[in-house]
Amino acid sequence: MKFIPRRTALAALGAVATTLLAGPVAAQQVVTLRLHQMLPPQATIPAKALIPWAQKVEAESGGKIKVQLFHAMALGGAPPQLFDQARDGVVDLTWTVLGYTPGRFNKAEVFELPFMSGSAEQSSQAFQEYVEKFAADEFSSVKLIAVHTHGPGLFHTKAPVTGLESLRGMKVRGGSRIINNMLTKLGATPVGMPVPAVTEALSKGVIDGTTIPWEVTPALKVSELVKNHTTFAGDRGLYTQTFAFSMNKASYEKLPADLKKVIDNNSGLPAAAMFGRAMDEGDKAGRAIAEKAGNNIVALDAAETQRWRRTAATVETDWINEVKGKNIDGAKLAAEARALIAKYSK
């Protein structure tokens, strides 16, 4: 019998053991997904939606999925590039504002129209169902996790806005072309910019005020930079913005079936509702900070709000006429959006 040195025998046994273990170890390999977004981690959506979503996915995957979060554009680029970063596989997941890429999400824009949306949770569920039924083609280049809206839109200004006349001539930040058109109709001078630029623009006097929801004011220190906030009567805000949480298609497709199911279980209506709830809770927190600071919160009455509604109504007419040139029935889509908002508002 041929003698095998002890060291050689041990090495052979080790190799056999490694081979036997390789299958189970490979099966348990952790998938790391990189999530990129524009806001600081303490802002509402990162703190109350994206981080909890990531933790839930990690837990439900049994630790097989790890989500790395990169806040405040840490991986480079600008907010308008985020959707394409997910589409192109620069990262695996992104959250962004749809209005930052004008002319791209034409059907989705209907939710930005003046006095269309109210509660973020209700409107976000309506928006999710609307996109699934009427605008899925606009998101076909990604695996869409969810879309959502923010809560009722309002003004945050250095000088108080107490009526239509007091807005005239003010330089006001708008976050999308629909909102900028609305600002023009209302007599303001719109200044388009992504939300992370608002703090510096207010502090340097580039703008006199901004259109953002209450929820993002703490992260941007808006209640410190301006002392006036104008709200509207009724259950619909002056405007809203629309958001998408997207995943790279290839990143999703290469997941094993059990991990795809985890992603699917945390997509669609439940995810849209969760993001909307975070926005609504953030609105309460943001307003409370302004109240505690003693800021001036102007509540326009029903009659004055109706004046704004009449003046802003032509924004919807403009949008309907514009998308008609792209073979889109804007009037039908606006009616469908309102019906879905009413459905989820019951």
Side-chain angles (χ1 to χ4, degrees):
M1 184 169 64
K2 188 176 178 181
F3 175 73
I4 301 174
R6 186 169 179 271
R7 258 188 312 188
T8 305
L10 287 174
L13 285 171
V16 170
T18 301
T19 302
L20 289 171
L21 288 171
V25 168
Q28 295 300 314
Q29 187 174 12
V30 174
V31 176
T32 300
L33 301 176
R34 299 194 304 165
L35 195 168
H36 196 205
Q37 61 88 27
M38 73 190 83
L39 294 176
Q42 71 271 21
T44 298
I45 285 297
K48 304 297 184 184
L50 292 174
I51 292 171
W53 183 90
Q55 292 169 340
K56 191 166 181 285
V57 164
E58 289 176 350
E60 291 178 10
S61 72
K64 294 178 186 177
I65 294 177
K66 169 70 177 172
V67 182
Q68 282 185 321
L69 289 107
F70 296 89
H71 306 291
M73 302 307 299
L75 295 178
Q81 298 171 321
L82 281 165
F83 186 86
D84 285 343
Q85 287 187 357
R87 183 198 68 182
D88 298 339
V90 175
V91 294
D92 303 294
L93 295 151
T94 63
W95 172 82
T96 193
V97 177
L98 295 176
Y100 290 173
T101 49
R104 185 167 185 176
F105 301 98
N106 297 292
K107 298 172 191 172
E109 282 181 331
V110 68
F111 273 73
E112 296 180 18
L113 294 174
F115 297 101
M116 174 68 76
S117 302
S119 150
E121 183 174 2
Q122 295 164 1
S123 296
S124 294
Q125 291 175 91
F127 187 36
Q128 179 70 34
E129 184 173 339
Y130 170 91
V131 164
E132 290 174 6
K133 286 183 174 178
F134 305 109
D137 58 309
E138 295 185 344
F139 299 90
S140 61
S141 62
V142 297
K143 159 69 176 174
L144 187 64
I145 305 297
V147 291
H148 71 98
T149 72
H150 64 57
L154 67 153
F155 286 106
H156 311 269
T157 52
K158 293 179 179 179
V161 174
T162 55
L164 266 175
E165 291 73 19
S166 54
L167 184 69
R168 286 174 187 156
M170 273 194 190
K171 293 178 292 182
V172 180
R173 176 263 177 185
S176 75
R177 70 188 194 95
I178 297 290
I179 295 169
N180 287 340
N181 186 28
M182 178 194 71
L183 289 171
T184 300
K185 299 283 170 108
L186 294 171
T189 301
V191 182
M193 65 180 69
V195 74
V198 166
T199 305
E200 184 177 3
L202 280 173
S203 62
K204 290 187 173 179
V206 174
I207 54 176
D208 304 311
T210 184
T211 55
I212 52 172
W214 281 115
E215 60 83 20
V216 79
T217 55
L220 302 179
K221 303 186 185 304
V222 169
S223 294
E224 299 170 29
L225 293 166
V226 304
K227 298 300 179 185
N228 299 282
H229 316 271
T230 299
T231 66
F232 296 81
D235 60 356
R236 297 287 182 263
L238 176 64
Y239 63 90
T240 193
Q241 289 213 244
T242 55
F243 305 82
F245 183 25
S246 309
M247 184 173 184
N248 174 259
K249 269 192 166 181
S251 298
Y252 172 77
E253 290 298 339
K254 68 186 178 187
L255 293 174
D258 61 328
L259 298 189
K260 280 182 182 173
K261 189 171 188 303
V262 172
I263 298 296
D264 291 343
N265 289 346
N266 289 280
S267 301
L269 272 176
M274 181 186 79
F275 277 68
R277 276 194 303 276
M279 286 294 207
D280 285 336
E281 290 303 312
D283 279 348
K284 293 175 189 173
R287 179 171 178 139
I289 288 170
E291 288 173 344
K292 187 176 180 181
N295 286 8
N296 176 36
I297 299 176
V298 178
L300 299 181
D301 63 21
E304 180 61 25
T305 298
Q306 189 57 34
R307 290 182 68 214
W308 290 68
R309 280 178 173 269
R310 285 194 301 268
T311 305
T314 53
V315 175
E316 184 164 334
T317 305
D318 288 350
W319 178 78
I320 289 170
N321 289 334
E322 183 181 340
V323 297
K324 186 185 291 184
K326 300 175 182 178
N327 296 316
I328 296 170
D329 188 343
K332 179 181 183 293
L333 292 182
E336 296 286 1
R338 289 192 171 93
L340 286 168
I341 289 169
K343 169 185 171 180
Y344 287 99
S345 299
K346 290 177 182 176

